[in-house]
Amino acid sequence: MSAVIPPLPVHDAVPAQPARPAAGTPKRPRLYVLDGLRLIAALSVVAFHWAGVNIHPEVWGNTPRNLMPSVHRVASYGWMGVQLFFLISGFVICMSCWGRSPRDYFTSRIVRLYPAYWVGIIITTLVVNFAATVRASREPMSVSDVLTNLTMLERPLGVTEADGVYWTLWIELRFYLLFAVVAVMGLTYRRVLAFCGIWTILAVITPGTDSKLMDTVFMPQDAPYFIAGVAMYLIYRFGVNPMLLGVVGFSWLYAQNRLHITVGAYEYEVHHGLSWWVMAAVSAAAFLVMLAAAMGTLNWIRWKWLTVAGALTYPVYLLHQELGWAMIRWGRDHGIAPFQLLALCLAAILLLSWLVHRFAERPLSALLKRLLDGAKVSLPKSDPPVRPR
C-alpha cells in the first residue's frame, strides 16, 4: 500500500479575490497559478506511483527502475507533491472561509471532500474486487470495509483504505478540525497568526512527548506545510511583513528537518536511498513558488484552461493508483511499450476524472449543499418544543 496521497481536498474553487475585502481594498486577479500548482502536484504523485514505486513488480512485470531508469530517478521524488498540496491547502482553506460563518465553513469542507470521494470509492472497489488485471497482492474489500470507507475515517478505525492514497485525507481532516477552532471564533489577522505560532510550538514539542494523542492532533511531520500556507494567505491578504516572512521561513527550516523522518517510508517504496539535497531543494522550490503567488508575482499567469485542470486534480488523485496499476498491468500484458503505456494511462485517467467531475462531483456537490443549507439541518438557538405523545 502506498504512502502517498495528494489532495487533496484542497480543490476549492479559488475566489477572484480575498473574501469580503475591506472597503478600499483593490480587487485582485484570480489565482490561476494555484490551479496550475495543483496540477503539478497531482502529476508528481501520479508519476511516483506509476514510475517511482518498486515494491509491486507484478504491476509492470518488472520494476520501473529496470524498465525506465531515467524516468524512475525523477519519479522517485514525486511524493513531494504532497508537501505542495499541503501548502496550497493551508492557503486555500484560509482564503475560502475568511468572513464566513462556522456553518459555512463546515458545509464547504463536507461539500468539497465527500462527493468525489464517494464516487472514487465505488470505482476503486469495483477495480480491486472484480478486475482480473489488478495486482494479486491486494485483498478484496468487504461490504463493511466499503461502508466504513464512506466515512473517510477508515484509518483511525483500523480499516483498509479502498485506495492506499486515501490515508492522507485523514491528515486533511485533522487540519480542518484544528483550523475550525479559529473559524468558530472568527478569522482575524491576530487570531490566525496566533494559531500559526501555537500550532508550531505544539508540533515541535510533540515528538519528545511520546504521546500518540498529541502526534495525532498536532501532526509534527505535516504541520509546517499547512502553517506556512496559512501564513502565505495572510501575506496575500494583508501584505508582506517581517513577521509573516519569519513564519514562512521558520516553517521551511522545520520542514526540512522532518524530511529525515518522512523519507523512510518512501525509500522503502522505491527500494533505494533518496538524496536529502534534492528533497530540500524541491521543498524550498515549493515554498518559494507559493510565496511568489502570495506576493502577487505570478498574477500574470491567467490561462483559463488552468481552472479545468485544477478541478480535475482531486478526481485524478482519488482514482489514479489502483485503477492506474490495473491499466498498466493490462497494457503490458498486451505488449504496449512502457512510455506509450504511461501516456495512454494518463489520458484515460484525465478523461475519467473529467467525467467524474462533470457528471458526478458537480451535481452531487450541489445536491449535498442544498441539503446542508436546509433549515432543518441548522442547530436551533434553544431547545425545540417537546412533541406531544
Side-chain angles (χ1 to χ4, degrees):
M1 182 178 300
S2 175
V4 175
I5 119 183
L8 23 90
V10 296
H11 307 275
D12 299 279
V14 182
Q17 61 192 64
R20 301 184 186 179
T25 300
K27 292 185 178 181
R28 301 184 182 184
R30 177 187 177 91
L31 289 178
Y32 289 100
V33 64
L34 293 188
D35 295 312
L37 291 175
R38 286 171 175 156
L39 179 62
I40 292 172
L43 294 180
S44 297
V45 176
V46 171
F48 175 75
H49 288 136
W50 290 2
V53 173
N54 280 317
I55 59 174
H56 303 303
E58 67 270 29
V59 173
W60 282 99
N62 201 330
T63 63
R65 188 178 188 180
N66 292 332
L67 289 174
M68 40 189 153
S70 58
V71 173
H72 170 75
R73 280 194 294 271
V74 177
S76 295
Y77 295 91
W79 56 271
M80 297 199 70
V82 173
Q83 277 72 39
L84 179 54
F85 269 122
F86 288 165
L87 283 169
I88 298 170
S89 184
F91 188 103
V92 171
I93 193 65
C94 208
M95 171 187 282
S96 62
C97 71
W98 200 287
R100 295 186 179 183
S101 68
R103 177 180 171 179
D104 290 337
Y105 173 76
F106 287 106
T107 298
S108 69
R109 295 308 89 210
I110 293 171
V111 169
R112 294 307 302 170
L113 280 176
Y114 280 97
Y117 172 73
W118 289 331
V119 176
I121 287 174
I122 293 171
I123 294 175
T124 301
T125 300
L126 292 174
V127 171
V128 169
N129 284 14
F130 302 108
T133 55
V134 77
R135 58 193 175 96
S137 59
R138 177 62 200 266
E139 296 291 331
M141 299 281 292
S142 70
V143 174
S144 177
D145 289 345
V146 174
L147 294 176
T148 304
N149 269 258
L150 294 176
T151 68
M152 206 178 285
L153 299 175
E154 63 275 4
R155 176 152 286 261
L157 292 174
V159 173
T160 300
E161 296 91 349
D163 193 301
V165 300
Y166 293 178
W167 71 270
T168 47
L169 290 175
W170 174 230
I171 295 176
E172 289 280 349
L173 282 175
R174 284 180 282 166
F175 167 55
Y176 293 162
L177 290 173
L178 277 177
F179 198 76
V181 175
V182 190
V184 168
M185 293 189 296
L187 301 187
T188 67
Y189 176 87
R190 291 171 62 90
R191 288 172 181 167
V192 174
L193 187 58
F195 169 81
C196 292
I198 294 170
W199 189 10
T200 297
I201 294 170
L202 293 172
V204 168
I205 67 174
T206 290
T209 65
D210 292 326
S211 169
K212 189 173 182 179
L213 176 61
M214 288 188 66
D215 188 79
T216 299
V217 174
F218 301 120
M219 303 180 289
Q221 311 302 334
D222 307 301
Y225 304 103
F226 292 115
I227 292 167
V230 170
M232 289 174 190
Y233 176 72
L234 293 180
I235 290 174
Y236 172 75
R237 185 178 179 89
F238 298 104
V240 65
N241 64 55
M243 181 173 291
L244 294 176
L245 287 177
V247 173
V248 174
F250 186 87
S251 295
W252 181 81
L253 293 174
Y254 174 23
Q256 64 79 30
N257 173 267
R258 294 290 88 190
L259 286 173
H260 293 292
I261 309 299
T262 306
V263 71
Y266 301 108
E267 288 183 331
Y268 166 75
E269 295 201 60
V270 301
H271 276 190
H272 58 76
L274 296 172
S275 167
W276 177 88
W277 290 101
V278 173
M279 293 187 296
V282 172
S283 176
F287 271 73
L288 288 173
V289 74
M290 279 296 298
L291 186 60
M295 296 174 68
T297 307
L298 301 178
N299 284 350
W300 57 270
I301 298 177
R302 298 182 183 181
W303 308 318
K304 299 297 179 66
W305 62 269
L306 287 175
T307 304
V308 178
L312 296 185
T313 53
Y314 191 34
V316 166
Y317 152 69
L318 293 170
L319 298 170
H320 79 272
Q321 182 171 275
E322 292 291 350
L323 179 56
W325 282 341
M327 289 192 299
I328 289 172
R329 184 168 180 177
W330 178 89
R332 59 93 170 171
D333 285 347
H334 286 76
I336 303 177
F339 291 109
Q340 288 87 340
L341 183 53
L342 285 174
L344 288 172
C345 289
L346 180 59
I349 285 294
L350 289 174
L351 175 59
L352 179 60
S353 297
W354 181 83
L355 292 172
V356 168
H357 170 68
R358 176 64 181 84
F359 297 106
E361 182 182 20
R362 283 172 56 181
L364 284 175
S365 296
L367 175 61
L368 187 58
K369 188 175 189 308
R370 286 197 299 270
L371 292 174
L372 293 174
D373 285 342
K376 292 183 179 179
V377 178
S378 61
L379 294 176
K381 295 182 178 180
S382 60
D383 288 346
V386 178
R387 293 176 55 193
R389 301 185 183 279

